[in-house]
Amino acid sequence: MNSIQVGNDTITAEAIARELQYHPAEQMDDAWQAAATSLVVKTLLEQRANALGIEAATEEERTALLLEQELQVPEPTEEQCQHYFHSNRGRFHTPVLLAVSHILLPAAPEDVQQRDQQRILATQLLRQLQVDPDSFVALAQQYSACPSSGQGGSLGQLSKGQTVVEFERQVWRLPVGLSTQPVETRFGFHLVRVDQRVEGEPLEYELVVTRIRQYLHEQVTRKALSQYVQILGGDVFETLRNRSEVSH
């Protein structure tokens, strides 16, 4: 890939190559485009700050001062906040809470043989639990590698974000009762029983208005910043777009 000229500054191919690590993508061309765009934006903001004589202890502080001076971002109105709240009512609830018990049969992700063995054991124990649900506590104490085995497998009451993603993604979809399939995670296989499910309750507007106002302000700021950098470097971005179209 070639270097990019931004006014009197040159973004070298080597600089773009170093930036690639921060912009992973399935296609190298997409990663290059993202890395190059990021460096172009940074250079444009530095040039504008220099032109206005803005000084600060760090580059981040200088950029913040520049944007505070240059961007005119209005605060969301009460009407806009109310409209967003009523249009997105389903987003504003207290979290769903689950009371969960599990039996963890441990298996390292890279140990294929161990994972196969534990998968078979999980299936066998699940059959036993389906026949004798009351044996859950005893089986947790005997087999589970989780500290919760001392409480018969009980993890207590959980909300989202308290467990690893792959466990949460599967368990939060389950109905109350014993899961009919083992739950597989990086730690191994879990026999899961949902003991209780407490659905979230709707939140009143007064409790979420600050969050809504912040979200709307961030959206407007992001749009204003995009327009701002486009004005600063329209020709450069046009060149980047043309390179992207040619590479694809």
Side-chain angles (χ1 to χ4, degrees), residues 127-157:
R127 290 198 190 108
Q128 181 176 340
L129 287 168
Q130 289 168 338
V131 174
D132 182 14
D134 292 337
S135 65
F136 195 99
V137 170
L139 293 178
Q141 293 172 342
Q142 181 178 354
Y143 289 99
S144 183
C146 179
S148 65
S149 62
Q151 290 77 47
S154 175
L155 292 172
Q157 195 172 70

PDB file of all heavy atoms in Angstrom, residues 127-157:
ATOM      1  N   ARG A 127     -28.907 -37.796  32.131  1.00  0.00           N
ATOM      2  CA  ARG A 127     -29.941 -38.845  32.114  1.00  0.00           C
ATOM      3  C   ARG A 127     -30.345 -39.209  33.539  1.00  0.00           C
ATOM      4  O   ARG A 127     -31.523 -39.409  33.844  1.00  0.00           O
ATOM      5  CB  ARG A 127     -29.416 -40.086  31.380  1.00  0.00           C
ATOM      6  CG  ARG A 127     -29.237 -39.906  29.881  1.00  0.00           C
ATOM      7  CD  ARG A 127     -29.144 -41.256  29.199  1.00  0.00           C
ATOM      8  NE  ARG A 127     -28.736 -41.131  27.801  1.00  0.00           N
ATOM      9  CZ  ARG A 127     -27.549 -41.466  27.328  1.00  0.00           C
ATOM     10  NH1 ARG A 127     -26.638 -41.988  28.148  1.00  0.00           N
ATOM     11  NH2 ARG A 127     -27.261 -41.329  26.058  1.00  0.00           N
ATOM     12  N   GLN A 128     -29.352 -39.299  34.421  1.00  0.00           N
ATOM     13  CA  GLN A 128     -29.635 -39.639  35.814  1.00  0.00           C
ATOM     14  C   GLN A 128     -30.495 -38.567  36.464  1.00  0.00           C
ATOM     15  O   GLN A 128     -31.430 -38.875  37.219  1.00  0.00           O
ATOM     16  CB  GLN A 128     -28.331 -39.832  36.591  1.00  0.00           C
ATOM     17  CG  GLN A 128     -28.531 -40.211  38.052  1.00  0.00           C
ATOM     18  CD  GLN A 128     -27.218 -40.496  38.755  1.00  0.00           C
ATOM     19  OE1 GLN A 128     -26.199 -40.784  38.111  1.00  0.00           O
ATOM     20  NE2 GLN A 128     -27.214 -40.415  40.074  1.00  0.00           N
ATOM     21  N   LEU A 129     -30.183 -37.305  36.183  1.00  0.00           N
ATOM     22  CA  LEU A 129     -30.945 -36.206  36.768  1.00  0.00           C
ATOM     23  C   LEU A 129     -32.374 -36.154  36.236  1.00  0.00           C
ATOM     24  O   LEU A 129     -33.302 -35.770  36.967  1.00  0.00           O
ATOM     25  CB  LEU A 129     -30.237 -34.874  36.487  1.00  0.00           C
ATOM     26  CG  LEU A 129     -28.963 -34.616  37.284  1.00  0.00           C
ATOM     27  CD1 LEU A 129     -28.204 -33.430  36.721  1.00  0.00           C
ATOM     28  CD2 LEU A 129     -29.295 -34.382  38.762  1.00  0.00           C
ATOM     29  N   GLN A 130     -32.552 -36.537  35.000  1.00  0.00           N
ATOM     30  CA  GLN A 130     -33.901 -36.543  34.439  1.00  0.00           C
ATOM     31  C   GLN A 130     -34.774 -37.602  35.108  1.00  0.00           C
ATOM     32  O   GLN A 130     -35.981 -37.416  35.263  1.00  0.00           O
ATOM     33  CB  GLN A 130     -33.824 -36.762  32.927  1.00  0.00           C
ATOM     34  CG  GLN A 130     -33.257 -35.559  32.181  1.00  0.00           C
ATOM     35  CD  GLN A 130     -32.903 -35.854  30.729  1.00  0.00           C
ATOM     36  OE1 GLN A 130     -32.685 -37.014  30.354  1.00  0.00           O
ATOM     37  NE2 GLN A 130     -32.854 -34.815  29.909  1.00  0.00           N
ATOM     38  N   VAL A 131     -34.132 -38.693  35.514  1.00  0.00           N
ATOM     39  CA  VAL A 131     -34.855 -39.766  36.214  1.00  0.00           C
ATOM     40  C   VAL A 131     -35.020 -39.419  37.688  1.00  0.00           C
ATOM     41  O   VAL A 131     -36.081 -39.658  38.288  1.00  0.00           O
ATOM     42  CB  VAL A 131     -34.102 -41.110  36.068  1.00  0.00           C
ATOM     43  CG1 VAL A 131     -34.763 -42.196  36.922  1.00  0.00           C
ATOM     44  CG2 VAL A 131     -34.054 -41.541  34.603  1.00  0.00           C
ATOM     45  N   ASP A 132     -33.962 -38.824  38.286  1.00  0.00           N
ATOM     46  CA  ASP A 132     -33.957 -38.527  39.722  1.00  0.00           C
ATOM     47  C   ASP A 132     -33.501 -37.086  39.958  1.00  0.00           C
ATOM     48  O   ASP A 132     -32.348 -36.828  40.305  1.00  0.00           O
ATOM     49  CB  ASP A 132     -33.035 -39.510  40.444  1.00  0.00           C
ATOM     50  CG  ASP A 132     -33.018 -39.288  41.960  1.00  0.00           C
ATOM     51  OD1 ASP A 132     -33.908 -38.564  42.462  1.00  0.00           O
ATOM     52  OD2 ASP A 132     -32.097 -39.816  42.613  1.00  0.00           O
ATOM     53  N   PRO A 133     -34.389 -36.100  39.773  1.00  0.00           N
ATOM     54  CA  PRO A 133     -34.010 -34.693  39.921  1.00  0.00           C
ATOM     55  C   PRO A 133     -33.443 -34.355  41.296  1.00  0.00           C
ATOM     56  O   PRO A 133     -32.608 -33.454  41.421  1.00  0.00           O
ATOM     57  CB  PRO A 133     -35.331 -33.950  39.679  1.00  0.00           C
ATOM     58  CG  PRO A 133     -36.177 -34.904  38.903  1.00  0.00           C
ATOM     59  CD  PRO A 133     -35.799 -36.265  39.395  1.00  0.00           C
ATOM     60  N   ASP A 134     -33.864 -35.092  42.323  1.00  0.00           N
ATOM     61  CA  ASP A 134     -33.410 -34.784  43.679  1.00  0.00           C
ATOM     62  C   ASP A 134     -31.943 -35.142  43.915  1.00  0.00           C
ATOM     63  O   ASP A 134     -31.389 -34.796  44.969  1.00  0.00           O
ATOM     64  CB  ASP A 134     -34.282 -35.522  44.699  1.00  0.00           C
ATOM     65  CG  ASP A 134     -35.710 -34.989  44.722  1.00  0.00           C
ATOM     66  OD1 ASP A 134     -35.898 -33.829  44.304  1.00  0.00           O
ATOM     67  OD2 ASP A 134     -36.609 -35.729  45.139  1.00  0.00           O
ATOM     68  N   SER A 135     -31.315 -35.809  42.958  1.00  0.00           N
ATOM     69  CA  SER A 135     -29.904 -36.182  43.123  1.00  0.00           C
ATOM     70  C   SER A 135     -28.952 -35.057  42.721  1.00  0.00           C
ATOM     71  O   SER A 135     -27.733 -35.226  42.771  1.00  0.00           O
ATOM     72  CB  SER A 135     -29.594 -37.438  42.297  1.00  0.00           C
ATOM     73  OG  SER A 135     -29.723 -37.177  40.899  1.00  0.00           O
ATOM     74  N   PHE A 136     -29.487 -33.899  42.328  1.00  0.00           N
ATOM     75  CA  PHE A 136     -28.651 -32.800  41.829  1.00  0.00           C
ATOM     76  C   PHE A 136     -27.603 -32.387  42.860  1.00  0.00           C
ATOM     77  O   PHE A 136     -26.418 -32.243  42.542  1.00  0.00           O
ATOM     78  CB  PHE A 136     -29.518 -31.593  41.452  1.00  0.00           C
ATOM     79  CG  PHE A 136     -28.796 -30.572  40.622  1.00  0.00           C
ATOM     80  CD1 PHE A 136     -28.951 -30.523  39.240  1.00  0.00           C
ATOM     81  CD2 PHE A 136     -27.946 -29.634  41.210  1.00  0.00           C
ATOM     82  CE1 PHE A 136     -28.280 -29.580  38.471  1.00  0.00           C
ATOM     83  CE2 PHE A 136     -27.277 -28.692  40.451  1.00  0.00           C
ATOM     84  CZ  PHE A 136     -27.441 -28.669  39.077  1.00  0.00           C
ATOM     85  N   VAL A 137     -28.020 -32.198  44.105  1.00  0.00           N
ATOM     86  CA  VAL A 137     -27.099 -31.735  45.145  1.00  0.00           C
ATOM     87  C   VAL A 137     -25.972 -32.737  45.350  1.00  0.00           C
ATOM     88  O   VAL A 137     -24.786 -32.373  45.408  1.00  0.00           O
ATOM     89  CB  VAL A 137     -27.854 -31.482  46.462  1.00  0.00           C
ATOM     90  CG1 VAL A 137     -26.866 -31.238  47.608  1.00  0.00           C
ATOM     91  CG2 VAL A 137     -28.787 -30.287  46.319  1.00  0.00           C
ATOM     92  N   ALA A 138     -26.321 -34.014  45.440  1.00  0.00           N
ATOM     93  CA  ALA A 138     -25.310 -35.044  45.668  1.00  0.00           C
ATOM     94  C   ALA A 138     -24.343 -35.131  44.498  1.00  0.00           C
ATOM     95  O   ALA A 138     -23.118 -35.279  44.692  1.00  0.00           O
ATOM     96  CB  ALA A 138     -25.993 -36.396  45.894  1.00  0.00           C
ATOM     97  N   LEU A 139     -24.843 -35.026  43.273  1.00  0.00           N
ATOM     98  CA  LEU A 139     -23.970 -35.092  42.091  1.00  0.00           C
ATOM     99  C   LEU A 139     -23.077 -33.855  42.010  1.00  0.00           C
ATOM    100  O   LEU A 139     -21.916 -33.948  41.586  1.00  0.00           O
ATOM    101  CB  LEU A 139     -24.808 -35.233  40.819  1.00  0.00           C
ATOM    102  CG  LEU A 139     -25.565 -36.553  40.666  1.00  0.00           C
ATOM    103  CD1 LEU A 139     -26.395 -36.545  39.387  1.00  0.00           C
ATOM    104  CD2 LEU A 139     -24.601 -37.740  40.664  1.00  0.00           C
ATOM    105  N   ALA A 140     -23.598 -32.705  42.407  1.00  0.00           N
ATOM    106  CA  ALA A 140     -22.778 -31.481  42.415  1.00  0.00           C
ATOM    107  C   ALA A 140     -21.630 -31.637  43.398  1.00  0.00           C
ATOM    108  O   ALA A 140     -20.478 -31.290  43.100  1.00  0.00           O
ATOM    109  CB  ALA A 140     -23.637 -30.275  42.773  1.00  0.00           C
ATOM    110  N   GLN A 141     -21.926 -32.165  44.567  1.00  0.00           N
ATOM    111  CA  GLN A 141     -20.883 -32.355  45.580  1.00  0.00           C
ATOM    112  C   GLN A 141     -19.844 -33.378  45.128  1.00  0.00           C
ATOM    113  O   GLN A 141     -18.655 -33.258  45.456  1.00  0.00           O
ATOM    114  CB  GLN A 141     -21.538 -32.790  46.891  1.00  0.00           C
ATOM    115  CG  GLN A 141     -22.395 -31.701  47.525  1.00  0.00           C
ATOM    116  CD  GLN A 141     -23.202 -32.191  48.706  1.00  0.00           C
ATOM    117  OE1 GLN A 141     -23.399 -33.400  48.884  1.00  0.00           O
ATOM    118  NE2 GLN A 141     -23.683 -31.269  49.535  1.00  0.00           N
ATOM    119  N   GLN A 142     -20.269 -34.358  44.351  1.00  0.00           N
ATOM    120  CA  GLN A 142     -19.361 -35.431  43.918  1.00  0.00           C
ATOM    121  C   GLN A 142     -18.535 -35.041  42.697  1.00  0.00           C
ATOM    122  O   GLN A 142     -17.341 -35.361  42.628  1.00  0.00           O
ATOM    123  CB  GLN A 142     -20.162 -36.694  43.620  1.00  0.00           C
ATOM    124  CG  GLN A 142     -19.293 -37.883  43.187  1.00  0.00           C
ATOM    125  CD  GLN A 142     -20.116 -39.134  42.935  1.00  0.00           C
ATOM    126  OE1 GLN A 142     -21.326 -39.170  43.188  1.00  0.00           O
ATOM    127  NE2 GLN A 142     -19.472 -40.179  42.431  1.00  0.00           N
ATOM    128  N   TYR A 143     -19.149 -34.355  41.747  1.00  0.00           N
ATOM    129  CA  TYR A 143     -18.494 -34.171  40.448  1.00  0.00           C
ATOM    130  C   TYR A 143     -18.070 -32.730  40.134  1.00  0.00           C
ATOM    131  O   TYR A 143     -17.130 -32.518  39.354  1.00  0.00           O
ATOM    132  CB  TYR A 143     -19.431 -34.637  39.320  1.00  0.00           C
ATOM    133  CG  TYR A 143     -19.624 -36.126  39.260  1.00  0.00           C
ATOM    134  CD1 TYR A 143     -20.759 -36.715  39.807  1.00  0.00           C
ATOM    135  CD2 TYR A 143     -18.685 -36.951  38.640  1.00  0.00           C
ATOM    136  CE1 TYR A 143     -20.957 -38.091  39.748  1.00  0.00           C
ATOM    137  CE2 TYR A 143     -18.870 -38.327  38.567  1.00  0.00           C
ATOM    138  CZ  TYR A 143     -20.005 -38.891  39.124  1.00  0.00           C
ATOM    139  OH  TYR A 143     -20.190 -40.252  39.054  1.00  0.00           O
ATOM    140  N   SER A 144     -18.754 -31.739  40.670  1.00  0.00           N
ATOM    141  CA  SER A 144     -18.535 -30.369  40.210  1.00  0.00           C
ATOM    142  C   SER A 144     -17.181 -29.826  40.650  1.00  0.00           C
ATOM    143  O   SER A 144     -16.777 -29.978  41.808  1.00  0.00           O
ATOM    144  CB  SER A 144     -19.639 -29.446  40.724  1.00  0.00           C
ATOM    145  OG  SER A 144     -19.455 -28.136  40.210  1.00  0.00           O
ATOM    146  N   ALA A 145     -16.488 -29.176  39.704  1.00  0.00           N
ATOM    147  CA  ALA A 145     -15.192 -28.550  39.990  1.00  0.00           C
ATOM    148  C   ALA A 145     -15.344 -27.095  40.404  1.00  0.00           C
ATOM    149  O   ALA A 145     -14.350 -26.402  40.625  1.00  0.00           O
ATOM    150  CB  ALA A 145     -14.301 -28.642  38.761  1.00  0.00           C
ATOM    151  N   CYS A 146     -16.585 -26.627  40.524  1.00  0.00           N
ATOM    152  CA  CYS A 146     -16.836 -25.242  40.931  1.00  0.00           C
ATOM    153  C   CYS A 146     -16.943 -25.169  42.445  1.00  0.00           C
ATOM    154  O   CYS A 146     -17.461 -26.089  43.084  1.00  0.00           O
ATOM    155  CB  CYS A 146     -18.133 -24.750  40.286  1.00  0.00           C
ATOM    156  SG  CYS A 146     -18.578 -23.052  40.731  1.00  0.00           S
ATOM    157  N   PRO A 147     -16.446 -24.076  43.058  1.00  0.00           N
ATOM    158  CA  PRO A 147     -16.598 -23.919  44.510  1.00  0.00           C
ATOM    159  C   PRO A 147     -18.047 -24.003  44.978  1.00  0.00           C
ATOM    160  O   PRO A 147     -18.314 -24.305  46.144  1.00  0.00           O
ATOM    161  CB  PRO A 147     -16.018 -22.526  44.777  1.00  0.00           C
ATOM    162  CG  PRO A 147     -15.037 -22.318  43.671  1.00  0.00           C
ATOM    163  CD  PRO A 147     -15.639 -22.986  42.475  1.00  0.00           C
ATOM    164  N   SER A 148     -18.996 -23.753  44.047  1.00  0.00           N
ATOM    165  CA  SER A 148     -20.410 -23.824  44.414  1.00  0.00           C
ATOM    166  C   SER A 148     -20.848 -25.239  44.763  1.00  0.00           C
ATOM    167  O   SER A 148     -21.963 -25.431  45.267  1.00  0.00           O
ATOM    168  CB  SER A 148     -21.279 -23.304  43.266  1.00  0.00           C
ATOM    169  OG  SER A 148     -21.160 -24.144  42.119  1.00  0.00           O
ATOM    170  N   SER A 149     -19.978 -26.224  44.530  1.00  0.00           N
ATOM    171  CA  SER A 149     -20.329 -27.612  44.869  1.00  0.00           C
ATOM    172  C   SER A 149     -20.638 -27.744  46.358  1.00  0.00           C
ATOM    173  O   SER A 149     -21.434 -28.591  46.766  1.00  0.00           O
ATOM    174  CB  SER A 149     -19.200 -28.565  44.478  1.00  0.00           C
ATOM    175  OG  SER A 149     -18.012 -28.254  45.206  1.00  0.00           O
ATOM    176  N   GLY A 150     -19.995 -26.901  47.164  1.00  0.00           N
ATOM    177  CA  GLY A 150     -20.246 -26.931  48.599  1.00  0.00           C
ATOM    178  C   GLY A 150     -21.641 -26.479  48.967  1.00  0.00           C
ATOM    179  O   GLY A 150     -22.137 -26.776  50.065  1.00  0.00           O
ATOM    180  N   GLN A 151     -22.313 -25.773  48.032  1.00  0.00           N
ATOM    181  CA  GLN A 151     -23.697 -25.341  48.243  1.00  0.00           C
ATOM    182  C   GLN A 151     -24.641 -26.123  47.328  1.00  0.00           C
ATOM    183  O   GLN A 151     -25.687 -25.627  46.911  1.00  0.00           O
ATOM    184  CB  GLN A 151     -23.848 -23.840  47.969  1.00  0.00           C
ATOM    185  CG  GLN A 151     -23.189 -22.942  49.003  1.00  0.00           C
ATOM    186  CD  GLN A 151     -21.679 -22.870  48.818  1.00  0.00           C
ATOM    187  OE1 GLN A 151     -21.195 -22.682  47.706  1.00  0.00           O
ATOM    188  NE2 GLN A 151     -20.937 -23.034  49.904  1.00  0.00           N
ATOM    189  N   GLY A 152     -24.224 -27.339  46.987  1.00  0.00           N
ATOM    190  CA  GLY A 152     -25.068 -28.173  46.133  1.00  0.00           C
ATOM    191  C   GLY A 152     -25.166 -27.668  44.709  1.00  0.00           C
ATOM    192  O   GLY A 152     -26.106 -27.975  43.990  1.00  0.00           O
ATOM    193  N   GLY A 153     -24.176 -26.874  44.289  1.00  0.00           N
ATOM    194  CA  GLY A 153     -24.158 -26.347  42.930  1.00  0.00           C
ATOM    195  C   GLY A 153     -24.798 -24.986  42.772  1.00  0.00           C
ATOM    196  O   GLY A 153     -24.784 -24.412  41.685  1.00  0.00           O
ATOM    197  N   SER A 154     -25.342 -24.428  43.845  1.00  0.00           N
ATOM    198  CA  SER A 154     -26.060 -23.162  43.742  1.00  0.00           C
ATOM    199  C   SER A 154     -25.121 -21.987  43.498  1.00  0.00           C
ATOM    200  O   SER A 154     -24.169 -21.773  44.248  1.00  0.00           O
ATOM    201  CB  SER A 154     -26.869 -22.905  45.020  1.00  0.00           C
ATOM    202  OG  SER A 154     -27.474 -21.615  44.966  1.00  0.00           O
ATOM    203  N   LEU A 155     -25.405 -21.218  42.467  1.00  0.00           N
ATOM    204  CA  LEU A 155     -24.657 -19.994  42.167  1.00  0.00           C
ATOM    205  C   LEU A 155     -25.364 -18.776  42.733  1.00  0.00           C
ATOM    206  O   LEU A 155     -24.870 -17.649  42.587  1.00  0.00           O
ATOM    207  CB  LEU A 155     -24.502 -19.839  40.647  1.00  0.00           C
ATOM    208  CG  LEU A 155     -23.612 -20.861  39.949  1.00  0.00           C
ATOM    209  CD1 LEU A 155     -23.709 -20.698  38.429  1.00  0.00           C
ATOM    210  CD2 LEU A 155     -22.168 -20.741  40.401  1.00  0.00           C
ATOM    211  N   GLY A 156     -26.521 -18.994  43.348  1.00  0.00           N
ATOM    212  CA  GLY A 156     -27.276 -17.876  43.894  1.00  0.00           C
ATOM    213  C   GLY A 156     -27.989 -17.108  42.791  1.00  0.00           C
ATOM    214  O   GLY A 156     -28.218 -17.609  41.699  1.00  0.00           O
ATOM    215  N   GLN A 157     -28.327 -15.868  43.078  1.00  0.00           N
ATOM    216  CA  GLN A 157     -29.046 -15.028  42.121  1.00  0.00           C
ATOM    217  C   GLN A 157     -28.061 -14.287  41.233  1.00  0.00           C
ATOM    218  O   GLN A 157     -27.138 -13.634  41.712  1.00  0.00           O
ATOM    219  CB  GLN A 157     -29.940 -14.038  42.865  1.00  0.00           C
ATOM    220  CG  GLN A 157     -30.990 -13.384  41.989  1.00  0.00           C
ATOM    221  CD  GLN A 157     -31.961 -12.566  42.810  1.00  0.00           C
ATOM    222  OE1 GLN A 157     -31.611 -11.521  43.347  1.00  0.00           O
ATOM    223  NE2 GLN A 157     -33.192 -13.033  42.939  1.00  0.00           N
TER     224      GLN A 157
END
